[in-house]
């Protein structure tokens, strides 16, 4: 399953009905702060709305606009006409405003993979809504003076007691940073490394995007060995490759088989020896936790993450050999086009093999968003290996961890105490600090690094998407965006929130030694909700 493209907000109707009463007062409060900007932004949008909303069959834009003041203020003005949310939890007004500005620098989210050789064109971006009202780095400086930063003392008074909740176990740390300025506003053991669980995926996302680029795509190809007549299905490490009919923009084995069969028919070939190549990745395929429904064997060739129950996310039974399974399905699709194959087996394509057909994944920006929204372990481990390949490390669990760490160090991030033994956070020997997590989030909001924006736009939206769909039933629903982390005895939460003054804050809360995961999650959610309601003077 690919993170849904933008659709009319009506798709989110059931969610909107449930939380509208909670969201609307917050929109009104923030609009009061930013009201002088509303008229100017609305005037900019008005002439463009007809063009923006006209159907475009050539591409579907998924704008990289975050949840900050400019979008919130404009949303308050159009909420009755357009609805505040679309199916992905993005503010409708934000993406309309982004389009009206005709900005560039975002990532391509819409082209059909494998259907064109042209370079992906970036979608419009709206960096100002990611930096907060009047932030020092925002491109929009006109209007009222930005509110002062929240007081560190006030934050300590509010968060301190909440983070001392016994539900958070024996050890807990926290960090809060103002994204626009990079100012650290609050810290409690923020430099102490704890087990991060799935918040590790934030680090993996930043490393992969910086090493590969937001527009990078993973390509699966069928290659013919001219000397032997062997057809090799070459895995390109695409974690979104599918054999299902409803592809939702993913690279499709059915398309690859159809194009391959057509190429073979042109050559007068009706029967081939079929094999598969997974040599892009090396080392053990089974995660150190062992065979587990949370992750399939990691391989450069897999269809639908090796799932056997038709699911698209979450724990599921998996096939023992995803590469063999994917190739067997490919053989079936070839047969439907009149190509007979031998039973497939492992091989390696030579440099002389001629590529007959290819299919490519959505851009990395979209893959990262899917990974973060669904907390997808399979994607995370694949991206760690791709980071290793791109930086010259061995493409296995150990090499992936080294590559992620090296890439973050290259970005100038503080890695004191950080340990990466995988890309997903399933390994309990991983260690991260709250400081590093908020640094990663702040870096992703830096207007000078638009390639990292999917780290923020992919975060689950409280009460709407991914692992936060069933959390935040009131209060901060739709305002908190955060990556969750859960292992036995470990509960973490890291993300962004817009406070009552319209400042975008990054936060990270880590707890270890918890005994009741539900109580721990509620305690973390209370802390994030407190930030959302904070003026904190």
């Amino acid at each position: 399953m690919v993170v849904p493209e933008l659709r009319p907000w009506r798709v989110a109707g059931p969610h909107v009905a449930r939380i509208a009463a909670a969201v609307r007062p917050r929109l009104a409060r923030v609009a009061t702060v930013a009201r002088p900007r509303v008229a100017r932004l609305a005037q900019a949008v008005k002439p463009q709305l007809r063009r923006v909303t006209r159907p475009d069959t050539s591409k579907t834009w998924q704008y990289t606009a975050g949840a900050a003041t400019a979008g919130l203020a404009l949303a308050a003005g159009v909420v009755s006409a357009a609805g505040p949310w679309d199916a992905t939890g993005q503010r409708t007004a934000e993406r309309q405003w982004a389009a009206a500005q005709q900005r560039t620098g975002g990532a391509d989210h819409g082209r059909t993979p494998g259907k064109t050789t042209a370079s992906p064109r970036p979608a419009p971006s709206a960096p100002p809504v990611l930096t907060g009202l009047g932030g020092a780095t925002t491109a929009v400086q006109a209007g009222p003076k930005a509110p002062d930063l929240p007081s560190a003392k006030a934050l300590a008074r509010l968060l301190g007691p909440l983070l001392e909740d016994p539900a958070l176990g024996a050890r807990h740390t926290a960090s809060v940073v103002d994204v626009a300025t990079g100012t650290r506003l609050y810290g409690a053991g923020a430099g102490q490394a704890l087990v991060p669980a799935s918040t590790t995926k934030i680090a993996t996302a930043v490393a992969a995007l910086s090493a590969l680029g937001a527009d990078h795509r993973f390509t699966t190809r069928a290659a013919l060995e001219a000397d032997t007549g062997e057809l090799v299905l070459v895995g390109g490490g695409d974690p979104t490759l599918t054999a299902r009919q409803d592809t939702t923009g993913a690279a499709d084995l059915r398309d690859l088989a159809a194009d391959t069969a057509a190429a073979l028919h042109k050559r007068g070939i009706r029967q081939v020896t079929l094999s598969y190549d997974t040599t892009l990745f090396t080392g053990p395929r089974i995660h150190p936790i062992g065979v587990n429904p949370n992750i399939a064997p990691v391989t450069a060739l897999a269809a639908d993450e090796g799932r056997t129950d038709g699911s698209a996310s979450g724990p599921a039974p998996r096939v023992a050999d995803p590469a063999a399974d994917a190739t067997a399905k490919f053989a079936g699709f070839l047969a439907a086009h009149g190509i007979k194959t031998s039973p497939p087996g492992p091989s390696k394509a030579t440099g002389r093999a001629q590529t007959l057909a290819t299919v490519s994944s959505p851009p990395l920006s979209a893959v990262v968003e899917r990974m973060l929204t669904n907390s997808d372990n399979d994607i995370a481990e694949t991206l760690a290996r791709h980071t290793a390949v791109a930086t010259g490390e061995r493409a296995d669990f150990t090499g992936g961890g080294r590559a992620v760490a090296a890439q973050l160090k290259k970005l100038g991030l503080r890695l004191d105490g950080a340990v990466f033994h995988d890309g997903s956070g399933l390994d309990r020997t991983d260690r991260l600090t709250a400081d590093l997590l908020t640094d990663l989030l702040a870096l992703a909001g830096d207007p000078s690094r638009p390639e990292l924006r999917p780290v923020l736009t992919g975060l689950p939206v409280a009460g709407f998407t991914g692992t936060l769909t069933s959390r935040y039933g009131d209060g901060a629903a739709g305002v908190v965006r955060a990556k969750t982390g859960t292992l036995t005895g470990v509960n973490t939460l890291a993300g962004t929130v817009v406070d009552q003054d319209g400042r975008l804050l990054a936060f990270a809360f880590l707890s270890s030694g918890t005994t009741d995961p539900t109580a721990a999650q509620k305690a973390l959610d209370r802390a994030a909700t407190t930030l959302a309601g904070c003026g904190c003077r």
Side-chain angles (χ1 to χ4, degrees):
M1 172 180 173
V2 172
V3 176
E5 296 291 345
L6 296 175
R7 297 192 298 255
W9 79 279
R10 293 189 300 275
V11 180
H15 294 296
V16 174
R18 176 166 56 83
I19 70 165
V23 174
R24 190 172 292 109
R26 280 196 49 77
L27 289 173
R29 286 198 300 272
V30 178
T32 299
V33 176
R35 183 171 289 113
R37 294 190 176 199
V38 175
R40 185 177 71 258
L41 294 175
Q43 190 65 31
V45 171
K46 186 176 179 180
Q48 303 288 342
L49 287 180
R50 182 174 298 176
R51 181 182 60 79
V52 170
T53 56
R54 185 182 297 124
D56 183 349
T57 58
S58 66
K59 53 185 177 295
T60 303
W61 285 346
Q62 179 174 334
Y63 301 109
T64 55
T69 305
L72 280 166
L74 186 55
V78 301
V79 62
S80 61
W85 307 100
D86 64 18
T88 68
Q90 176 143 18
R91 291 171 179 81
T92 303
E94 283 181 3
R95 61 185 172 89
Q96 290 176 339
W97 182 81
Q101 303 309 299
Q102 297 182 316
R103 297 184 180 274
T104 59
D108 170 58
H109 290 270
R111 292 201 178 185
T112 303
K115 299 303 182 184
T116 179
T117 58
S119 299
R121 288 176 295 185
S125 302
V129 303
L130 289 169
T131 56
L133 179 63
T137 57
T138 183
V140 178
Q141 294 292 344
K145 182 180 178 181
D148 293 333
L149 291 174
S151 161
K153 290 183 179 179
L155 281 174
R157 286 196 301 269
L158 287 172
L159 292 178
L162 294 175
L163 296 174
E164 290 299 324
D165 190 323
L168 294 180
R171 304 170 69 190
H172 40 268
T173 66
S175 174
V176 179
V177 169
D178 177 68
V179 173
T181 65
T183 303
R184 195 164 305 282
L185 303 174
Y186 175 78
Q192 180 183 1
L194 295 181
V195 181
S198 278
T199 55
T200 300
K201 294 182 177 72
I202 296 173
T204 302
V206 169
L209 286 165
S210 62
L212 299 166
D215 294 330
H216 185 82
R217 298 175 188 264
F218 309 116
T219 298
T220 306
R221 64 190 181 99
L224 182 65
E225 297 284 2
D227 297 341
T228 63
E230 177 186 11
L231 181 67
V232 186
L233 182 60
V234 183
D238 179 2
T240 67
L241 183 68
T242 185
R244 296 172 182 166
Q245 288 186 316
D246 183 13
T247 64
T248 322
D252 191 345
L253 273 177
R254 296 171 185 269
D255 291 341
L256 184 62
D259 292 345
T260 301
L264 290 172
H265 281 300
K266 286 183 179 179
R267 289 166 172 76
I269 300 173
R270 299 293 185 272
Q271 184 169 353
V272 294
T273 299
L274 182 61
S275 61
Y276 53 90
D277 182 348
T278 62
T279 57
L280 180 64
F281 296 163
T282 58
R285 297 183 307 153
I286 304 299
H287 191 280
I289 63 172
V291 176
N292 191 287
N294 286 293
I295 187 169
V298 183
T299 174
L301 178 62
D304 304 302
E305 300 180 335
R307 297 171 180 270
T308 63
D309 62 354
S311 64
S313 63
R318 315 296 183 107
V319 297
D321 189 341
D325 174 71
T327 310
K329 291 174 179 175
F330 181 66
F333 300 147
L334 285 175
H337 291 281
I339 302 296
K340 295 181 179 180
T341 66
S342 64
S347 184
K348 178 177 172 56
T350 69
R352 300 183 303 276
Q354 181 181 4
T355 298
L356 300 183
T358 65
V359 289
S360 294
S361 71
L364 180 58
S365 55
V367 176
V368 162
E369 288 179 330
R370 170 177 164 177
M371 174 187 71
L372 294 171
T373 299
N374 293 340
S375 195
D376 194 303
N377 298 308
D378 301 277
I379 293 178
E381 295 303 342
T382 299
L383 295 188
R385 279 167 165 73
H386 277 295
T387 304
V389 171
T391 58
E393 289 282 358
R394 181 177 168 84
D396 58 9
F397 287 106
T398 301
R402 282 199 303 264
V404 168
Q407 197 65 23
L408 299 186
K409 185 176 181 179
K410 184 178 178 181
L411 291 170
L413 293 162
R414 298 171 295 175
L415 297 182
D416 297 343
V419 177
F420 297 95
H421 285 155
D422 68 358
S424 63
L426 287 173
D427 196 315
R428 300 182 69 88
T429 62
D430 290 340
R431 295 291 185 274
L432 290 181
T433 65
D435 270 342
L436 177 56
L437 285 169
T438 49
D439 284 347
L440 288 163
L441 293 165
L443 185 66
D446 185 341
S448 69
R449 293 194 174 274
E451 75 279 4
L452 300 183
R453 206 73 76 243
V455 176
L456 298 187
T457 58
L459 293 173
V461 179
F464 280 96
T465 60
T467 54
L468 288 185
T469 300
S470 60
R471 291 167 64 168
Y472 297 88
D474 54 19
V479 179
V480 171
R481 297 186 178 205
K483 181 71 200 73
T484 59
T486 306
L487 293 172
T488 302
V490 174
N491 293 90
T492 60
L493 189 70
T496 64
V497 66
V498 180
D499 71 6
Q500 282 197 4
D501 288 332
R503 299 209 71 103
L504 183 66
L505 307 179
F507 67 88
F509 306 136
L510 288 79
S511 63
S512 183
T514 60
T515 57
D516 183 339
T518 300
Q521 288 176 0
K522 289 181 178 179
L524 295 175
D525 292 349
R526 280 193 293 271
T529 298
T530 297
L531 278 179
C534 184
C536 295
R537 294 290 175 265

